[in-house]
Amino acid sequence: MTISHIIGIDPGLSGAIALIQADTGELFDVTDMPTRKHVKANGKKETVIDVPALAETIDDYIDHAYGPDHVAIVIEQQSTRPGLAAGSVFKTGYGYGLLVGYATGSGCHVTTIRPQDWKATHNLIGAGGDLKGAARTRAIKTASREAAMARFPHHACMFWRIKDDGRAEAALIADAYLRSLVARPVAA
């Protein structure tokens, strides 16, 4: 199997989907995770992943790469953390399962990557230093955006805004996987 393109996915409602070309390492496109408003049984609105739009985005990326035999999809692994509310854990798991399921059904080579692995590839371990809470999260997200702007300078405008951290992380996830392919090609 020859991989010509890599789709990187940062799961979650503020995540994103990125497509890079394996032969050049260039970013082809990155898009925010498609979402929509959903009215729950109790009448409250919540934001959810827009599954038809997600499918369309992934299918468009696969078509650009001339079919699933030439695409690797790499998704950031999700896990629980102490102190998270059960509802939050459920939403994270549901979204992650939806992404893994759709990617697997696409016929592409699908793999996951641990956050610490792709962050180590881009020297982001330790970003945030001794900061705590929201300040630490902001520092980590800013470091991801800065790393993406440095790695993909022709597309830096895609990562300028604070809320573009999902885009940055999706692109860096795909790039980390590409770097692992260079070191260890995918077996057929």
Side-chain angles (χ1 to χ4, degrees):
M1 167 173 51
T2 302
I3 300 296
S4 66
H5 290 77
I6 299 166
I7 297 173
I9 301 178
D10 177 28
L13 299 176
S14 61
I17 308 163
L19 178 68
I20 64 171
Q21 295 175 211
D23 60 343
T24 63
E26 284 299 311
L27 180 66
F28 176 77
D29 191 36
V30 62
T31 186
D32 296 326
M33 184 64 66
T35 61
R36 66 178 178 82
K37 294 293 183 190
H38 169 73
V39 179
K40 299 185 333 181
N42 64 6
K44 292 185 180 181
K45 289 184 180 180
E46 68 177 341
T47 302
V48 297
I49 292 175
D50 184 339
V51 178
L54 168 72
E56 183 178 355
T57 299
I58 292 175
D59 290 348
D60 285 350
Y61 284 178
I62 293 169
D63 288 346
H64 176 78
Y66 307 111
D69 293 341
H70 304 286
V71 178
I73 299 177
V74 58
I75 304 168
E76 182 187 54
Q77 284 180 359
Q78 301 294 286
S79 61
T80 62
R81 294 183 302 276
L84 287 179
S88 177
V89 171
F90 178 80
K91 277 185 178 179
T92 299
Y94 177 81
Y96 178 68
L98 189 142
L99 290 165
V100 171
Y102 190 81
T104 301
S106 73
C108 297
H109 171 76
V110 179
T111 191
T112 59
I113 189 168
R114 298 179 321 153
Q116 57 268 39
D117 292 339
W118 73 259
K119 288 178 182 182
T121 300
H122 295 287
N123 299 314
L124 295 172
I125 300 296
D130 295 331
L131 297 172
K132 302 284 186 216
R136 178 177 169 74
T137 300
R138 233 180 349 269
I140 292 168
K141 300 297 185 181
T142 297
S144 293
R145 289 180 24 255
E146 290 172 351
M149 285 188 271
R151 172 61 188 87
F152 303 106
H154 292 93
H155 299 279
C157 63
M158 300 295 288
F159 313 114
W160 282 342
R161 301 174 304 170
I162 291 171
K163 70 178 189 173
D164 292 335
D165 59 280
R167 292 177 179 185
E169 293 187 358
L172 295 174
I173 287 165
D175 186 63
Y177 184 73
L178 175 61
R179 291 179 189 206
S180 77
L181 285 182
V182 172
R184 176 195 42 81
V186 173

